[in-house]
Each structure stands twice: as C-alpha cells, then as structure tokens.
Amino acid sequence: MPLLLDLQPDAYPLLGYRRKQLLEWVFVHGAPSFDDMTNLPLPLRAELTEQYALNPFSRTETVESSDGSVKYLFTLFDGRQMEAVYMPYLDRKTICVSTMVGCPAKCAFCATGSMGFGRNLTPGEVVGQILAVSWHQGFSPREMRNLVFMGMGEPLLNYDHTIAAAKLLLHPQALGMSKRRVTLSTVGLAKGIRKLAAEDELGIKLAISLHAPDEETRQQIIPTGQANSISEIMAAARDYQAVTGRRVTFEYAMLSGVNDSLWQADMLADLLQGLVSHVNLIPMNPWEGSGFVETPEHELQAFYDRLENRGVPVSVRRSRGRDAGAACGQLALKQPGAVAGA
C-alpha cells in the first residue's frame, strides 16, 4: 500500500477544498489516522484508508533525557528500526531526523556506523518522523521550526528521497519551514555537494563532517575519505558557496589524541582561508565499544583558542541527550528505559 507522505502536495488525492482539508489534517493537525479527519465524509475516509497508509511506523518508543531531549525509536512496517531526536528549547523546537536505517559511511567514532547499512528511507518515512514526534509531544507539526538531517545515514547517498523530503518541509501547503532553519549534514561527498548546490529552489544549509584536516587522520576515522579527499571536499564546498552564497558549517568531533593537536587546528585554519565558514567543535559523545575518548576540556579550549586567534568563526556544540543515547554519534537503537508509545 503506498504511503501518502511519499507524495508531494500537488499529487495528493482529492481535489479543491477536500485536498486542502486533507493537507491540513496531515501537516497542520498531525492526524495519526484518516479516521481522525472528522470533516471528511466517512465514505471518503474509508476510501483513503483502503488506498493509502498514513503512518509509516508500526511502533514508536521513547527514551527521555534529563535535559528534556527525547530519543524516538521507530519500527518500520518491514521490521527495521531507526531513530530521531527531539530537542526542545525555550525559543524553538528542533528535530534531528534520519535518512537511512543504519549508515554505510562507517565513521569509526560513530555508533550508527557500527550498525552497518539497512536501507534508505522514503521521503514519507523521513517526514513521518516529524509528524510522529509532534503528535506524541502534543503540538502541531508546523511548530517544529528547526530540522537537521543529522540522524542515522548519509543524506547525500539517499539523495532523491532526501531532497523530496526537504521539499515537503519547505512546501507552504506541507510543513512550511524556512530554508534557513533546515540543515543537511554530510560526511563530505563532493559530487553530492555540487548536486545539492544546483537545487536552486531549496537553499537549505550545508554542514560538512570534516573531523580532521589531514588525509592520514581523516582516512583512519572516516573510510569514505579514501574516495573523497579533503582537497576535493574543500573544492566542492567553495563551489557550493559560489553558487548559493551561503556559509558552510564544518563539524569537528574532538577525539583525544587523534585530531585535537594544535598543528591540526592550524591546518584546519589554513584549509578554511577565503571561505565563509563556521566550525562546530563537538566533544566526542561516548558509546560502548567506540575505542575513542573525548578531548579533555583544557585541550578543547586550546584548540578553540587557536582557531579563534586565526580568525576562524568557531563554537563548541554541546550535544543534548547524552544520557539517553541521543547525542551526536550515539544513535544505535539502544533503548535504556524505553517507553512504548502509540
């Protein structure tokens, strides 16, 4: 049975004001079933139920963090599982969504990479994460104003479905998000970055998971580095900026004794010269069996200071949801104290 959420708004069944009602039930009210769409005639609801699936998940479980973040574990109808993370702030609601079951990139410091690759998610399975979280949290899906494609998977390896999902996020008849509040994070696939730059109508933000400025270190911790050299990634980033005019963010997980030396900070600053960029230093989030340790605070500060003194815009991103296994690099279907949901 086809998933309704895989369709763009213009392709939704029904016409005229009935289509508008259907779209509002899905994206404004976050209705979990067609039966909840009470202003649609009962025979029409029955027909939609027979022809389309609305909820992409057979089961939803949650793990709550002490900082207010919530990790969602979704079971798909083929039995595979993936996760999303909801992060409430005083002034905004943010969600980190997955684009794959598992991840083929196999970054050594990332728990998701240790799972291997299951399959790509469809556009509806990506967008469905927002609708499900909103419904469980008790607010309209359109109140979710910030989204990052930083969960399980490499978005640019599921390019078509990720872009289709992004179009649903931005479409005024769907979730109506601002392109300035949607970020796609990639491990650094040069061809995909250039392809993304050509998506004129999107204009979403780009984050590149660099994690090391020298080839030897990067290839040790990121296997895809063998196919995408740092020089190729940086050239693609410059092309992206030339086409879009947008700043590029670089993610940098701080791994003790691996990529946190001051000479590496200097090399990173050299790489970024002439590029409008921002560096997010991310203290490594621990997970069982990783083999890595987070950089001590004083050494992280020294790395930060070196970049700042070199004129590089830099910040430290303290990941939320650590105690729930929901922080960056921790998503691996772990369920400490999981609570079954509807």
Side-chain angles (χ1 to χ4, degrees):
M1 182 180 296
L3 180 62
L4 183 71
L5 297 175
D6 282 336
L7 302 177
Q8 293 295 320
D10 293 344
Y12 262 51
L14 311 185
L15 297 174
Y17 78 98
R18 290 299 189 197
R19 174 180 288 177
K20 181 181 178 182
Q21 288 176 318
L22 178 58
L23 288 165
E24 287 180 347
W25 276 113
V26 174
F27 295 110
V28 179
H29 304 298
S33 73
F34 294 113
D35 287 338
D36 292 287
M37 302 178 182
T38 52
N39 62 351
L40 295 181
L42 190 59
L44 184 54
R45 282 182 268 162
E47 183 179 344
L48 288 169
T49 300
E50 291 178 1
Q51 294 181 352
Y52 293 95
L54 181 58
N55 183 357
F57 311 121
S58 64
R59 183 178 175 84
T60 299
E61 299 166 276
T62 61
V63 183
E64 297 186 9
S65 168
S66 59
D67 63 21
S69 303
V70 183
K71 180 170 72 170
Y72 279 78
L73 171 64
F74 297 112
T75 300
L76 300 157
F77 279 94
D78 62 1
R80 297 181 184 272
Q81 295 180 310
M82 34 68 64
E83 295 174 326
V85 181
Y86 168 59
M87 295 164 284
Y89 296 88
L90 290 177
D91 60 344
R92 66 192 186 278
K93 297 177 175 69
T94 297
I95 187 169
C96 174
V97 299
S98 296
T99 55
M100 294 177 171
V101 174
C103 183
K106 298 183 179 180
C107 298
F109 52 86
C110 178
T112 307
S114 69
M115 295 171 52
F117 174 63
R119 69 167 173 84
N120 289 332
L121 297 180
T122 72
E125 290 169 339
V126 176
V127 173
Q129 296 167 57
I130 305 166
L131 304 185
V133 168
S134 300
W135 186 79
H136 279 82
Q137 294 295 326
F139 56 79
S140 167
R142 288 197 176 180
E143 293 183 41
M144 193 81 78
R145 302 317 299 160
N146 290 68
L147 180 140
V148 288
F149 291 101
M150 291 185 186
M152 291 181 166
E154 165 52 59
L156 295 183
L157 287 179
N158 186 16
Y159 187 88
D160 290 342
H161 288 173
T162 297
I163 296 304
K167 290 179 178 178
L168 280 170
L169 302 179
L170 305 180
H171 199 292
Q173 290 183 298
L175 289 170
M177 285 187 170
S178 166
K179 62 183 68 176
R180 297 179 181 275
R181 295 179 177 271
V182 178
T183 300
L184 183 149
S185 178
T186 173
V187 75
L189 306 182
K191 290 182 179 178
I193 292 171
R194 290 190 172 94
K195 192 174 180 181
L196 181 65
E199 300 282 352
D200 296 334
E201 74 279 12
L202 282 184
I204 61 177
K205 297 193 291 186
L206 173 68
I208 297 175
S209 295
L210 194 64
H211 302 308
D214 59 295
E215 292 289 5
E216 181 179 0
T217 302
R218 193 169 197 274
Q219 290 184 22
Q220 287 176 352
I221 61 177
I222 302 179
T224 57
Q226 298 175 13
N228 294 265
S229 68
I230 292 173
S231 61
E232 290 172 330
I233 293 169
M234 295 307 301
R238 294 178 190 280
D239 290 346
Y240 176 89
Q241 190 161 96
V243 171
T244 66
R246 301 187 74 82
R247 184 183 75 175
V248 179
T249 297
F250 290 88
E251 311 284 359
Y252 200 100
M254 298 293 288
L255 310 174
S256 182
V258 178
N259 64 351
D260 57 355
S261 298
L262 293 183
W263 66 264
Q264 288 168 312
D266 284 328
M267 183 175 285
L268 178 58
D270 290 339
L271 283 176
L272 299 179
Q273 282 187 357
L275 185 68
V276 180
S277 63
H278 185 92
V279 174
N280 271 333
L281 301 180
I282 308 170
M284 190 265 177
N285 295 302
W287 52 277
E288 185 177 355
S290 73
F292 293 96
V293 177
E294 64 182 293
T295 297
E297 191 65 30
H298 71 282
E299 293 182 18
L300 185 151
Q301 186 63 50
F303 196 97
Y304 176 102
D305 291 342
R306 182 62 65 93
L307 289 177
E308 189 173 56
N309 291 338
R310 290 288 305 275
V312 176
V314 58
S315 60
V316 178
R317 194 175 84 206
R318 306 286 179 181
S319 298
R320 300 185 63 178
R322 266 193 173 199
D323 57 333
C328 291
Q330 288 186 322
L331 299 185
L333 306 182
K334 300 297 183 182
Q335 306 178 58
V339 178

